[in-house]
Amino acid sequence: MAFQTLSASKLPIAAECPGAFALEAHALPSSKWAARGTTIHQFIDTAFRESRDVALAGIEDEDLAIFCAKIPLHEIEAHFGGEPRTEVQFFYSPELDTCYENMSNFLGGKVDGHRLMPDGKSVRGADWKTGFVRVPAPLQNIQIRAYALMLSRRYDVDRVEFAVVDIDEEGLPFVRNAVFEEMELDAARAEIRAIMEAVDTERREVEI
């Protein structure tokens, strides 16, 4: 049986109910709010990689295009510190403690933007939040802590600077920054391992 996949964004659910990820995987219908968030993410990504005009041309919904046109991308980039690199999947495994694919129990996630700093000793990451409810601050946000851990393992660094960019109803960004150093990364690692082990226990019971 194919189980529900475990990703960084689903960690809060896994922490509350690990058994949810011992259920058979099935596709859930999207909602207009999820589609809205996806479009805004795609707009920001395309605007950084190509141009604002190209990004706006790809939005069919006129009201959403007007909304995206208001987003001050320079403010996001100033806090992020560089052009985002997107569509990169990172993995974390309790067994191997690094980033590998094709594991029975691994955590996956896509960081909206990331950049290895010139000194090679730290990484900057960023995640755009497009919902109307503000998410927890980075150091208290298990999803962001997982992203920081994945980036630190991927680039073999002990310092990750991360920006959570909430985009409000007016299209204005509210940026919250956090620094994850060795102590914070080790704490995240321990918490995430515990969650993944709880999920694995539930899956083994289903397979018996």
Side-chain angles (χ1 to χ4, degrees), residues 55-206:
L56 288 173
I59 302 175
E60 297 180 0
D61 186 305
E62 184 177 347
D63 291 336
L64 192 51
I66 293 172
F67 173 87
C68 288
K70 297 178 182 177
I71 299 175
L73 296 171
H74 62 280
E75 289 190 23
I76 297 176
E77 189 168 19
H79 286 276
F80 174 69
E83 179 179 344
R85 291 160 51 188
T86 60
E87 295 305 314
V88 177
Q89 182 88 3
F90 293 105
F91 298 91
Y92 172 76
S93 165
E95 292 88 356
L96 299 179
D97 193 18
T98 186
C99 305
Y100 290 99
E101 297 185 52
N102 303 318
M103 299 176 188
S104 61
N105 186 13
F106 66 86
L107 180 73
K110 288 184 179 180
V111 181
D112 287 334
H114 74 283
R115 178 190 182 199
L116 180 65
M117 301 308 290
D119 62 7
K121 297 179 180 179
S122 64
V123 179
R124 282 187 180 174
D127 194 55
W128 331 130
K129 296 298 182 186
T130 60
F132 296 133
V133 178
R134 190 162 290 172
V135 302
L139 289 173
Q140 286 75 51
N141 188 320
I142 188 63
Q143 177 189 6
I144 303 305
R145 293 163 70 194
Y147 286 158
L149 183 63
M150 291 175 183
L151 289 173
S152 74
R153 295 298 184 262
R154 168 64 180 81
Y155 290 101
D156 193 24
V157 298
D158 290 326
R159 180 183 173 88
V160 179
E161 302 170 21
F162 211 99
V164 172
V165 184
D166 292 280
I167 299 173
D168 67 18
E169 296 180 47
E170 301 299 322
L172 299 176
F174 176 76
V175 183
R176 289 173 290 171
N177 294 288
V179 176
F180 294 83
E181 296 189 312
E182 190 170 2
M183 183 174 70
E184 290 80 16
L185 293 168
D186 283 346
R189 173 186 171 191
E191 182 177 359
I192 292 166
R193 278 192 169 194
I195 294 171
M196 295 177 73
E197 286 169 1
V199 169
D200 213 29
T201 298
E202 295 286 344
R203 289 176 172 176
R204 285 196 298 270
E205 290 183 359
V206 169

Side-chain angles (χ1 to χ4, degrees), residues 16-75:
E16 292 291 327
C17 183
F21 295 89
L23 300 175
E24 187 173 2
H26 61 278
L28 295 175
S30 184
S31 68
K32 67 175 183 178
W33 303 113
R36 177 184 183 276
T38 298
T39 298
I40 295 172
H41 276 72
Q42 290 173 342
F43 163 76
I44 295 173
D45 178 31
T46 304
F48 275 126
R49 288 189 294 103
E50 300 183 49
S51 72
R52 179 186 287 270
D53 289 341
V54 170
L56 288 173
I59 302 175
E60 297 180 0
D61 186 305
E62 184 177 347
D63 291 336
L64 192 51
I66 293 172
F67 173 87
C68 288
K70 297 178 182 177
I71 299 175
L73 296 171
H74 62 280
E75 289 190 23

